[in-house]
Amino acid sequence: MTVLLRVMTADDLPAVMRIERETFPRDAWTEGMLRGELDDQPRTRHYVVALLDGEIVGYAGLSAAGDQADVQTIAVLSGRRRAGVGGAMLTELLAEAVRRGARAVFLEVRADNPEARAVYDRFGFEPIGVRRHYYDDGTDAIMMKKDLHA
Ligand SMILES: CC(C)(COP(=O)(O)OP(=O)(O)OC[C@H]1O[C@@H](n2cnc3c(N)ncnc32)[C@H](O)[C@@H]1OP(=O)(O)O)[C@@H](O)C(=O)NCCC(=O)NCCS
């Protein structure tokens, strides 16, 4: 099955929020937070949705300013994982970071999230630090960085 990616719009928010709440039941972003991100698009943000058979099955967002970019969020419906959707979105975010002149991309990931850490490892992100007890439940955040080579 082919994954289609396109830029996220406000019309996508109901579908995106369903995935957000399913994926992050403890600390889901509100619709207002996502709307705020889209308000900054395309100036400093690049958000995409991923479609399989016309259904939104994932989304991801990048923030970019100057020569740095950050992966803001990435999620795929639980029943659609391990099919290349997350990788396709991450590839697009990294390409956008390059197009915008970023020299490095940063992100934070929960220390207890081996799936996401496996994806980031696979894409060449390296751990650069730990924020102890960063999340509300006391879990550490691992900060990761990928250098982009022009
Ligand atoms: C992280 C996430 C977006 C990955 O999406 P995905 O569509 O499953 O990712 P892909 O299928 O493109 O996987 C890409 C590669 O990452 C690695 N990977 C992905 N999931 C993995 C897992 N559970 N265990 C080990 N490796 C994994 C593999 O190398 C995989 O390639 P392969 O399937 O050819 O072996 C998805 O697991 C998710 O939505 N998780 C919950 C939300 C989340 O944690 N977001 C990140 C917050 S920082």
Side-chain angles (χ1 to χ4, degrees):
M1 234 180 316
T2 313
V3 185
L4 280 177
L5 301 185
R6 63 164 171 75
V7 168
M8 188 193 295
T9 71
D11 290 344
D12 298 322
L13 285 176
V16 166
M17 281 306 298
R18 275 195 292 279
I19 302 174
E20 174 77 15
R21 292 192 194 102
E22 182 221 75
T23 307
F24 306 108
R26 284 170 304 182
D27 42 15
W29 284 11
T30 63
E31 185 169 324
M33 289 163 80
L34 268 167
R35 226 173 250 287
E37 292 287 292
L38 295 184
D39 286 346
D40 281 338
Q41 178 167 267
R43 193 176 64 84
T44 65
R45 296 292 189 276
H46 181 67
Y47 272 72
V48 295
V49 288
L51 297 106
L52 283 177
D53 288 336
E55 181 198 5
I56 292 179
V57 296
Y59 60 91
L62 184 84
S63 128
D67 60 4
Q68 288 192 6
D70 289 85
V71 175
Q72 300 283 89
T73 184
I74 183 166
V76 174
L77 267 179
S78 55
R80 303 293 203 150
R81 292 180 192 158
R82 292 314 291 268
V85 175
M89 294 193 296
L90 197 50
T91 299
E92 164 59 18
L93 297 192
L94 293 173
E96 180 70 11
V98 169
R99 289 193 288 269
R100 291 183 180 222
R103 294 162 62 95
V105 179
F106 296 83
L107 59 82
E108 280 153 10
V109 59
R110 291 177 65 101
D112 62 357
N113 188 346
E115 294 85 6
R117 292 178 68 177
V119 179
Y120 300 141
D121 283 346
R122 169 84 174 259
F123 276 77
F125 282 84
E126 291 180 357
I128 54 166
V130 177
R131 290 193 169 144
R132 296 273 171 222
H133 314 306
Y134 178 77
Y135 296 99
D136 285 348
D137 64 358
T139 303
D140 295 343
I142 313 291
M143 295 147 65
M144 303 187 83
K145 176 186 182 190
K146 179 181 168 67
D147 286 315
L148 302 173
H149 305 286

